[in-house]
Amino acid sequence: MADDDRRNPPHEPDLGPAATGVRERPEAARTAEAPAPPPEPGGSAPVASRWMLRLVAVGLVIAALNLRPAISGLGPLLEEIRGGLHMNGAVAGLLTSVPPLCFALFGGLAPRLARRRGPAAVVLAGMVAVTLGLALRPFAGGTGTFLAATALALAGIAVSNVLMPVVVKHWFPDRVGSMTGLYSMALSMGTSAAAAVTVPLTDALGGSWRAGLGAWAVLGALAVVPWLLITRDRSARGPEPRAEQEAVPEETVEAEARHEAEARHPEAEAPAAAGRRPGSETGSGAPAGTAAPAGTAAPAGKAPALRIAKSPTAWWLGVFFGLQASAAYITMGWLPQIFRDAGVSASAAGAMLAVTMGMGIPLSFVLPKMAARMRHQGPLVLALGVCGLVAYAGLWLAPASGAWVWSLVLGVSNCAFPLALTMIGMRSRSSAGVVKLSAFAQSTGYLLSIPGPLLVGSLHEVSGDWRMPLVLMAALMVAQMATGLLAGRDRVIEDGR
């Protein structure tokens, strides 16, 4: 407990795991060690006004609300969409696999685009793509057109999803934890609202699934407005720095203790701080707690070269991320159909999916804090996995009579996503390392998650019921638990492990 208290001082703000993966330092330490950001050519870096910060906060929330309705709104109407577009089970499974495919393909482009155009311009383009894709889907005359329109919306979601932490860090560097929680809550709300409201909205608009899906384009159009205004502000035009330009040195227990002492007695620590190079914890330029190799010196402000693909921890994280993503997209795509085939109405099935997705609203705040205080996140991985297995057993034995219970328990299991993000943030010593690890784990994971929903649809088509798909889902959950135990060990990628 003493070590945990020192690693998580009570006065430090809680940072979102997707943002940086390192803790905020006291102001005195940051001032003494961190190099000042380079000014814009020809003048000082622009500072956003209070009005602009409020506008960014509003834009952040509305954009987050748009990051899942294109996906979670499909499940409750999947039977009507299959009938209207003459889809078989395999093609319907392909439709549920499109989200991770698009996230893997387009999400990797977001950092590069943000460095060139700035995050606000890329988020604006993403919201425009989401709106166009959702608006075009109702006019699709066949499966190919419907998939293309869906892919357009998902491409916008992919780049916007990746850049949400960048937006928070760009405009709210001193409120990363609270703003990350705000957009995470909005994302969960958008997911559950689309699942719950799509069927009643369809009924209110005349009963056509095309109108029910197309109505979500209105929410996308609302998100375009604030980001259009944000991009016109001077503070939003600067491109984002490369990850290696904003590397943060290793934080050890001893270094954090020294930072706390500097914050309390800055005059006593000023000479020592002045003798260190910016961006380093020691006079040698090596991170604190490590020794620099003889005859070498790490350039100040640059992250060490990391060979992510050679790190077993990075691979275990990628596989764990992929398995939990596969479970999530199987749930969003097929859970309402499982309930409907058991005799549950379409509106009730949508409400149950909303309950499952809504569990992420409170748990996304609780789980990261619990995980950050643990040296090994394996117990949390096992607890979430057991919840998933219980839910699958319930769907096998009593899918209709216990539907609400299975929805709740499965919602707990699906919260492996914020746990995975937290683990990514804890497996590196620097923000640059977290960026590289996050990109590797998410791109690898989303690619690995593509076959899951496809196989579930194909097995259902072949067997005619949900028993074989549920066996597959349980097997994937056991594999998720095993890889999560390996990924949750107290290791960092800089050590080559």
Side-chain angles (χ1 to χ4, degrees):
M1 290 297 295
D3 289 341
D4 290 342
D5 292 340
R6 283 194 295 173
R7 287 187 298 145
N8 299 277
H11 70 273
E12 291 184 351
D14 177 41
L15 299 186
T20 60
V22 293
R23 287 177 288 276
E24 190 78 12
R25 297 182 181 178
E27 186 62 34
R30 289 201 307 271
T31 304
E33 298 184 19
E40 284 193 336
S44 59
V47 178
S49 64
R50 181 175 299 180
W51 178 87
M52 179 54 58
L53 291 178
R54 292 174 180 173
L55 182 62
V56 172
V58 171
L60 193 72
V61 169
I62 303 179
L65 289 173
N66 279 276
L67 295 182
R68 291 299 181 270
I71 306 169
S72 59
L74 285 175
L77 293 176
L78 188 57
E79 185 174 312
E80 288 76 9
I81 296 171
R82 289 179 61 181
L85 298 177
H86 308 291
M87 290 183 184
N88 57 33
V91 175
L94 176 62
L95 181 61
T96 59
S97 296
V98 168
L101 175 61
C102 289
F103 288 172
L105 291 178
F106 298 108
L109 300 176
R112 186 179 304 173
L113 293 173
R115 286 197 297 266
R116 293 180 179 178
R117 303 295 182 183
V122 181
V123 173
L124 171 62
M127 291 298 102
V128 170
V130 170
T131 304
L132 288 177
L134 293 176
L136 291 174
R137 281 203 303 194
F139 300 100
T143 302
T145 309
F146 188 86
L147 287 173
T150 300
L152 176 61
L154 292 173
I157 292 173
V159 296
S160 302
N161 194 43
V162 170
L163 290 181
M164 288 294 102
V166 179
V167 169
V168 169
K169 188 176 181 181
H170 187 96
W171 275 279
F172 306 97
D174 56 341
R175 285 177 284 171
V176 171
S178 59
M179 296 306 296
T180 299
L182 181 65
Y183 86 74
S184 298
M185 182 176 64
L187 189 151
S188 297
M189 290 176 62
T191 306
S192 57
V197 174
T198 298
V199 172
L201 186 61
T202 299
D203 294 338
L205 294 175
S208 171
W209 63 265
R210 297 178 183 272
L213 289 182
W216 290 103
V218 176
L219 183 62
L222 289 177
V224 171
V225 177
W227 288 102
L228 188 61
L229 297 174
I230 292 169
T231 55
R232 298 174 65 88
D233 187 78
R234 186 165 169 257
S235 63
R237 296 176 188 172
E240 285 297 292
R242 294 180 180 269
E244 60 267 19
Q245 292 176 322
E246 53 182 48
V248 177
E250 173 189 358
E251 284 285 356
T252 63
V253 174
E254 292 80 5
E256 289 182 3
R258 189 177 68 251
H259 294 327
E260 294 179 38
E262 290 174 359
R264 289 191 296 266
H265 306 289
E267 67 283 352
E269 297 290 338
R276 290 191 297 267
R277 286 201 303 266
S280 66
E281 295 289 6
T282 64
S284 65
T290 63
T296 63
K302 286 224 172 190
L306 296 176
R307 297 182 178 180
I308 295 291
K310 293 189 176 182
S311 168
T313 297
W315 281 105
W316 289 127
L317 274 171
V319 176
F320 175 68
F321 192 95
L323 290 170
Q324 66 82 27
S326 183
Y329 288 112
I330 289 172
T331 298
M332 282 190 280
W334 292 112
L335 183 63
Q337 193 63 48
I338 295 175
F339 286 139
R340 292 186 66 176
D341 289 349
V344 177
S345 67
S347 58
M352 292 171 187
L353 178 60
V355 169
T356 300
M357 297 294 105
M359 289 298 294
I361 298 176
L363 291 182
S364 62
F365 288 99
V366 177
L367 277 176
K369 293 182 179 180
M370 294 176 61
R373 293 181 177 274
M374 302 170 68
R375 290 190 178 277
H376 195 311
Q377 289 75 45
L380 292 179
V381 171
L382 292 179
L384 297 181
V386 168
C387 288
L389 294 176
V390 169
Y392 296 153
L395 292 173
W396 177 296
L397 298 172
S401 58
W404 289 105
V405 176
W406 316 139
S407 298
L408 283 170
V409 178
L410 194 55
V412 175
S413 177
N414 276 354
C415 289
F417 175 68
L419 176 60
L421 291 180
T422 307
M423 289 163 64
I424 289 173
M426 297 178 70
R427 298 287 89 88
S428 176
R429 295 191 180 102
S430 70
S431 61
V434 170
V435 169
K436 293 180 180 180
L437 180 58
S438 179
F440 177 84
Q442 293 197 43
S443 60
T444 302
Y446 280 130
L447 286 174
L448 292 176
S449 70
I450 294 171
L454 266 174
L455 291 173
V456 168
S458 299
L459 287 175
H460 176 60
E461 185 80 5
V462 171
S463 64
D465 59 30
W466 290 103
R467 293 183 181 271
M468 287 181 63
L470 284 170
V471 170
L472 172 64
M473 293 157 66
L476 292 175
M477 184 59 66
V478 172
Q480 176 182 320
M481 295 164 69
T483 56
L485 284 174
L486 294 170
R489 293 177 294 179
D490 187 18
R491 296 182 174 183
V492 291
I493 58 174
E494 285 84 355
D495 292 342
R497 296 193 297 169

